[in-house]
C-alpha cells in the first residue's frame, strides 16, 4: 500500500461521528463560547463533539478521541464562576455557559538525554530538571490534571529520588501538559515523570522474562509477516476481521 | 511508644545513613517512628517574608499530614526540616489571619489546616527525654576514648523561640554522647553557621568558615564531628578535603551524624552506617578506638 493510501485510511478512521442529526429531534440545548462567538449545541455531547457540531473542523487539539493521547487539552470557565477548569475535550461533557480554549500544545521544555549513560540516582532528575527543587507544594498541578493524578506528590518523590513512586503515581499521565502550563515554579512535570519512568523501567524495575522473550521475537522479525498482511488488507476486509476478533474475544 | 516521623528529602538520599541509624537507635530504646504516609519537601528554608504565603504552603502541608495521623508529636532528624517546620508552626499559631488565608487557598482540597494539636520535636530532644539509666544499660561498647566535637550549626538553636537547648552554649549533644560513653570536647564555634547554601556559588565563604570551625575543634582535641544536619555534613565533609589538599598543615577529621555514633555504641550492625557516603572515611579511626 502506498504511503498516501495508508495516511488516508488513518484519517478516515478518525472522522467525527456526528452526521445526519435533525435539529428538530433535539430537546435540550446548551450555549458554549468559542473564539469569541456563542454557539447553540445539543446537550450531552463531549466538548470536542460540540465544537464539531458548531462547525469546526479540528486539525489540532484532537487526536485519539479516546482519552489516551493527551492532544485535546482544554481550559474552560463556566459563565458566572471564577474558577478556571481543565479537561480533555474528547472526555468531558460540554456544559452550558462554557468558555472554551483549546490548547494546541504545551510549549514546555524537554531535555535531551541518553538512558544508557545516566546514573540511576536522585541527582539525574535534578540534573535535567533542576526546576523541581523550586516546587512550592502549592498543588496547582494536581488540581489541573484531567487524569486525577497526584502530580505534586510525584514531583516530591522525584526530589527524593524515589523512582518507583514517581513511576507508579504518574503511570496514567497522558502528557497533555496542563500541569506544566499552570505551575508557578515552571516545572515540566510530565517530562520529569517520563524520564523517571524510563530510568525506572531500565534500571529499577524487575525484569520480566516473557516480555524480554517477546521483544527478542519482534526484533528477529517473527511477526513481520502478520503485520505486512494486516497493512495490505482493504478497509472492508479489516472491518470483517475486527468483528470476527471481537466475537472470539475472551471476556476477562 | 509510637511517634510520627517526617524524614525530609536528604534523609532518603545523601543522608540515608542518618535515617537508618537514628531509627534503629530509637527502636532499641523502645520508640517506633512511623513515617508520615504522604509528605512533601518541608520548604527547605523558613520564609522570612511576612506576606508571601505561597512559601508557607510546603511546611503547612507537612503539619496537616502530621495532624491527620492523630499523634501529637512529629519527629524530625534533619536540623533544617526541624527549623522550618517548627518556625512555620509558630508563625501560624501567632497569625490567625494568615492561617485563615491558607485555609481559603486549600478549600478545594477539602482539608482543614490548623496549627493546634501538633508539636515538632527533634531527635536530640526526644533522646534526651528518655530514661538515662535504660540508655546506659544498653550501651555495649563502653568507655570509648574517642573525642567528639558536637557541631550544632545555626538551625538547632536559632532563633531563640525554637531553640532546642541554650542558644549560647547548648549541651544536649554532649550529654547524649557522654551517656553513650564518648568523650566530648569544648570549642567556641559549635553554633557557628557552616555557610550553608553558599557552597553552591561562593565556595570560598564556606571554606573560610569550615577552616575556622575545624581548626578550633582539632586544637581542642577533637577527633571526629557529630552533627544532625545533612547540609552541614556535606559542607564540613567535602570542604575539609579541599582544605587538606591545599594546605598540608590542615588536619581533616571525619564528620558523622550523632545517631551513627549512638548506633555504634549500642553495638548495632555497622552496615547501617554506609560509610561509603562519607568523603573522609571514619573507619580507620573507629578501628583504632575499638568501635568497629
Amino acid at each position: 500500500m502506498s504511503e498516501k493510501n495508508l495516511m488516508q485510511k488513518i484519517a478516515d478512521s478518525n472522522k467525527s461521528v456526528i452526521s445526519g442529526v435533525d435539529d428538530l429531534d433535539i430537546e435540550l440545548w446548551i450555549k458554549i463560547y468559542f473564539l469569541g462567538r456563542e454557539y447553540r449545541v445539543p446537550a450531552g455531547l463531549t466538548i470536542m463533539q460540540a465544537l464539531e457540531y458548531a462547525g469546526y473542523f479540528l486539525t489540532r487539539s484532537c487526536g485519539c478521541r479516546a482519552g489516551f493521547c493527551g492532544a485535546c487539552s482544554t481550559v474552560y470557565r463556566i459563565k458566572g464562576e471564577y474558577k478556571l477548569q481543565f479537561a480533555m475535550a474528547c472526555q468531558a461533557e460540554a456544559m452550558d455557559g462554557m468558555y472554551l480554549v483549546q490548547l494546541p500544545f504545551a510549549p514546555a521544555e524537554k531535555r535531551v538525554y541518553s538512558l544508557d549513560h545516566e546514573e540511576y540516582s536522585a541527582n539525574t532528575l535534578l540534573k535535567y530538571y533542576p526546576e523541581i527543587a523550586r516546587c512550592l507544594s502549592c498543588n496547582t498541578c494536581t488540581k489541573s490534571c484531567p487524569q486525577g493524578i497526584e502530580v505534586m506528590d510525584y514531583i516530591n518523590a522525584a526530589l527524593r529520588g524515589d523512582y518507583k513512586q514517581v513511576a507508579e503515581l504518574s503511570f496514567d499521565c497522558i502528557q497533555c501538559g496542563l500541569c506544566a502550563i499552570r505551575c508557578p515554579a515552571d516545572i515540566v512535570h510530565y517530562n520529569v515523570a517520563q524520564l523517571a519512568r524510563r530510568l525506572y523501567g531500565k534500571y529499577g524495575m524487575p525484569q520480566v522474562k516473557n516480555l524480554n522473550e517477546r521483544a527478542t521475537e519482534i526484533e528477529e522479525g517473527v511477526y513481520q509477516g502478520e503485520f505486512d498482511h494486516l497493512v495490505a488488507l482493504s478497509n472492508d476486509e479489516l472491518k470483517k476481521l475486527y468483528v470476527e476478533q471481537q466475537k472470539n474475544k475472551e471476556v476477562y | 511508644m509510637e511517634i510520627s516521623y517526617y524524614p525530609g528529602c536528604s534523609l532518603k538520599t545523601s543522608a540515608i545513613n542518618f535515617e537508618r541509624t537514628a531509627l534503629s537507635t530509637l527502636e532499641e530504646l523502645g520508640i517506633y517512628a512511623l513515617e508520615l504516609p504522604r509528605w512533601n519537601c518541608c520548604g527547605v528554608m523558613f520564609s522570612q517574608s511576612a506576606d508571601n504565603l505561597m512559601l508557607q504552603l510546603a511546611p503547612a502541608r507537612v503539619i496537616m499530614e502530621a495532624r491527620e495521623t492523630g499523634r501529637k508529636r512529629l519527629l524530625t532528624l534533619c536540623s533544617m526540616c526541624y527549623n522550618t517546620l517548627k518556625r512555620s508552626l509558630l508563625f501560624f499559631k501567632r497569625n490567625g489571619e494568615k492561617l485563615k488565608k491558607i485555609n481559603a487557598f486549600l478549600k478545594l482540597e477539602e482539608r482543614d489546616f490548623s496549627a493546634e494539636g501538633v508539636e515538632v520535636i527533634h531527635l536530640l530532644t526526644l533522646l534526651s527525654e528518655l530514661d538515662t539509666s535504660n540508655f546506659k544499660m544498653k550501651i555495649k561498647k563502653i568507655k570509648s576514648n574517642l573525642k567528639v566535637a558536637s557541631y550544632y550549626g545555626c538551625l538547632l538553636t536559632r532563633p531563640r523561640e525554637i531553640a532546642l537547648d541554650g542558644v549560647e552554649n547548648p549541651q544536649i549533644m554532649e550529654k547524649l554522647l557522654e551517656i553513650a560513653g564518648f568523650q566530648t570536647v569544648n570549642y567556641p564555634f559549635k553554633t557557628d553557621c557552616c555557610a550553608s547554601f553558599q557552597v553552591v556559588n561562593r565556595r570560598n565563604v564556606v571554606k573560610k568558615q569550615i577552616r575556622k570551625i575545624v581548626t578550633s575543634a582539632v586544637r581542642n582535641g577533637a577527633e571526629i564531628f557529630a552533627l544532625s544536619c545533612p547540609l552541614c555534613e556535606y559542607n564540613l565533609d567535602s570542604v575539609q578535603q579541599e582544605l587538606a589538599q591545599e594546605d598540608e598543615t590542615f588536619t581533616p577529621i571525619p564528620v558523622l551524624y550523632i545517631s551513627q555514633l549512638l548506633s555504634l555504641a549500642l553495638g548495632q550492625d555497622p552496615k547501617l552506617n554506609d560509610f561509603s557516603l562519607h568523603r573522609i572515611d571514619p573507619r580507620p579511626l573507629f578501628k583504632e578506638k575499638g568501635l568497629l
Side-chain angles (χ1 to χ4, degrees):
Chain A
M1 189 182 285
S2 73
E3 180 83 355
K4 199 182 162 193
N5 283 343
L6 183 64
M7 292 316 288
Q8 189 56 46
K9 201 186 249 186
I10 293 168
D12 285 348
S13 66
N14 198 20
K15 269 200 179 138
S16 162
V17 292
I18 308 164
S19 58
V21 180
D22 190 343
D23 280 9
L24 294 172
D25 295 338
I26 295 163
E27 287 178 19
L28 293 169
W29 293 88
I30 57 167
K31 275 180 196 161
I32 59 168
Y33 303 87
F34 187 60
L35 294 178
R37 291 185 64 180
E38 181 185 296
Y39 295 96
R40 198 174 77 117
V41 298
L45 301 180
T46 64
I47 293 169
M48 192 177 277
Q49 287 167 336
L51 291 176
E52 283 167 340
Y53 187 91
Y56 287 94
F57 176 64
L58 302 173
T59 55
R60 293 299 309 246
S61 309
C62 76
C64 73
R65 292 170 181 272
F68 274 106
C69 79
C72 58
S73 322
T74 306
V75 183
Y76 68 90
R77 186 175 64 81
I78 306 272
K79 202 173 185 172
E81 287 180 12
Y82 78 98
K83 193 86 196 150
L84 277 184
Q85 298 187 65
F86 309 90
M88 305 316 300
C90 72
Q91 295 297 295
E93 191 180 329
M95 285 181 286
D96 194 37
M98 262 186 174
Y99 290 97
L100 293 161
V101 176
Q102 305 301 115
L103 298 180
F105 78 113
E109 171 72 334
K110 186 178 175 194
R111 309 276 147 76
V112 177
Y113 45 79
S114 163
L115 294 184
D116 289 333
H117 300 109
E118 292 310 332
E119 199 189 325
Y120 187 55
S121 77
N123 285 346
T124 305
L125 295 175
L126 279 162
K127 183 172 91 183
Y128 287 104
Y129 297 104
E131 309 84 53
I132 60 175
R134 304 206 307 176
C135 177
L136 295 161
S137 296
C138 70
N139 217 15
T140 307
C141 47
T142 304
K143 288 179 201 160
S144 68
C145 180
Q147 291 289 88
I149 295 169
E150 296 288 356
V151 186
M152 182 193 81
D153 289 57
Y154 82 60
I155 289 299
N156 269 288
L159 262 176
R160 50 188 189 252
D162 189 342
Y163 280 87
K164 187 168 188 277
Q165 206 183 3
V166 182
E168 284 172 2
L169 286 178
S170 71
F171 188 77
D172 286 332
C173 176
I174 53 176
Q175 314 223 318
C176 68
L178 284 167
C179 48
I181 280 180
R182 291 286 281 166
C183 179
D186 299 316
I187 296 168
V188 193
H189 316 67
Y190 61 109
N191 285 338
V192 176
Q194 187 177 59
L195 172 57
R197 285 196 304 275
R198 284 172 169 168
L199 284 166
Y200 179 61
K202 192 169 174 63
Y203 301 109
M205 255 172 95
Q207 292 286 316
V208 182
K209 188 169 159 271
N210 293 348
L211 181 68
N212 287 341
E213 284 172 7
R214 181 57 55 90
T216 315
E217 283 173 6
I218 291 169
E219 275 166 13
E220 285 169 355
V222 174
Y223 304 103
Q224 197 52 46
E226 287 177 52
F227 277 121
D228 292 343
H229 171 68
L230 279 177
V231 172
L233 289 179
S234 73
N235 255 350
D236 290 339
E237 286 168 320
L238 262 181
K239 275 181 190 161
K240 201 177 149 195
L241 202 66
Y242 179 74
V243 171
E244 285 302 313
Q245 185 249 7
Q246 290 292 311
K247 267 189 206 160
N248 300 331
K249 208 171 180 179
E250 209 178 310
V251 181
Y252 56 89
Chain B
M1 188 181 87
E2 285 181 352
I3 186 168
S4 287
Y5 162 54
Y6 172 77
C9 306
S10 300
L11 276 282
K12 295 290 177 187
T13 50
S14 56
I16 186 87
N17 46 1
F18 186 14
E19 176 177 66
R20 285 189 191 135
T21 49
L23 297 188
S24 64
T25 299
L26 287 175
E27 210 169 304
E28 187 110 14
L29 301 168
I31 294 171
Y32 297 92
L34 307 174
E35 186 173 324
L36 293 178
R38 179 186 177 195
W39 54 271
N40 50 264
C41 165
C42 69
V44 186
M45 277 287 189
F46 176 74
S47 167
Q48 304 281 2
S49 156
D51 50 6
N52 188 352
L53 287 178
M54 272 305 237
L55 299 170
Q56 295 293 348
L57 269 172
R61 281 185 190 283
V62 175
I63 293 164
M64 267 194 297
E65 289 294 334
R67 283 187 80 239
E68 284 168 16
T69 63
R71 288 181 288 270
K72 190 175 178 346
R73 297 176 116 188
L74 179 65
L75 170 70
T76 64
L77 307 185
C78 166
S79 304
M80 200 171 276
C81 297
Y82 167 78
N83 191 284
T84 307
L85 293 176
K86 193 150 184 181
R87 287 172 81 180
S88 182
L89 191 65
L90 202 63
F91 173 80
F92 285 115
K93 272 189 181 160
R94 290 176 178 172
N95 293 283
E97 190 70 18
K98 312 279 187 206
L99 188 116
K100 245 167 112 177
K101 224 171 182 174
I102 288 275
N103 268 316
F105 181 82
L106 292 170
K107 202 175 169 204
L108 274 187
E109 295 180 41
E110 293 176 351
R111 299 183 76 175
D112 172 35
F113 173 52
S114 157
E116 302 305 323
V118 65
E119 181 195 343
V120 177
I121 177 171
H122 191 269
L123 173 73
L124 294 171
T125 312
L126 183 66
L127 286 171
S128 65
E129 284 174 358
L130 298 175
D131 177 9
T132 315
S133 57
N134 177 33
F135 201 162
K136 266 189 183 148
M137 256 165 50
K138 300 218 157 136
I139 300 295
K140 303 225 168 58
K141 314 247 177 180
I142 311 156
K143 285 286 166 206
S144 158
N145 62 350
L146 185 63
K147 293 196 185 71
V148 187
S150 306
Y151 179 65
Y152 293 82
C154 46
L155 295 163
L156 291 175
T157 57
R158 288 197 290 277
R160 183 187 294 273
E161 55 206 17
I162 61 100
L164 50 67
D165 199 5
V167 177
E168 294 288 332
N169 186 16
Q171 290 293 318
I172 192 166
M173 273 205 248
E174 280 87 342
K175 279 179 197 156
L176 286 167
L177 289 164
E178 277 160 20
I179 292 170
F182 295 100
Q183 291 185 21
T184 54
V185 297
N186 235 331
Y187 68 112
F189 302 119
K190 63 182 175 184
T191 58
D192 265 33
C193 175
C194 70
S196 186
F197 286 114
Q198 307 216 53
V199 73
V200 178
N201 55 354
R202 296 171 73 193
R203 221 175 166 87
N204 276 335
V205 178
V206 185
K207 272 187 183 170
K208 201 176 146 198
Q209 194 66 6
I210 301 291
R211 177 190 282 277
K212 184 179 84 180
I213 296 164
V214 176
T215 311
S216 162
V218 169
R219 276 191 192 147
N220 283 292
E223 293 166 300
I224 196 163
F225 276 108
L227 42 67
S228 76
C229 174
L231 181 57
C232 297
E233 197 275 344
Y234 176 79
N235 280 357
L236 278 164
D237 203 6
S238 66
V239 171
Q240 273 196 81
Q241 263 189 328
E242 281 176 42
L243 288 170
Q245 278 162 11
E246 289 164 16
D247 174 5
E248 281 175 16
T249 61
F250 181 84
T251 326
I253 59 174
V255 185
L256 272 90
Y257 297 107
I258 184 166
S259 60
Q260 291 182 281
L261 292 171
L262 299 181
S263 169
L264 285 175
L266 288 166
Q268 293 178 338
D269 187 352
K271 279 198 191 108
L272 289 168
N273 283 283
D274 196 353
F275 290 117
S276 66
L277 288 170
H278 300 280
R279 290 158 200 83
I280 304 165
D281 192 349
R283 280 170 287 195
L285 181 66
F286 285 149
K287 277 180 189 145
E288 187 194 316
K289 301 285 177 180
L291 280 156
L292 272 184

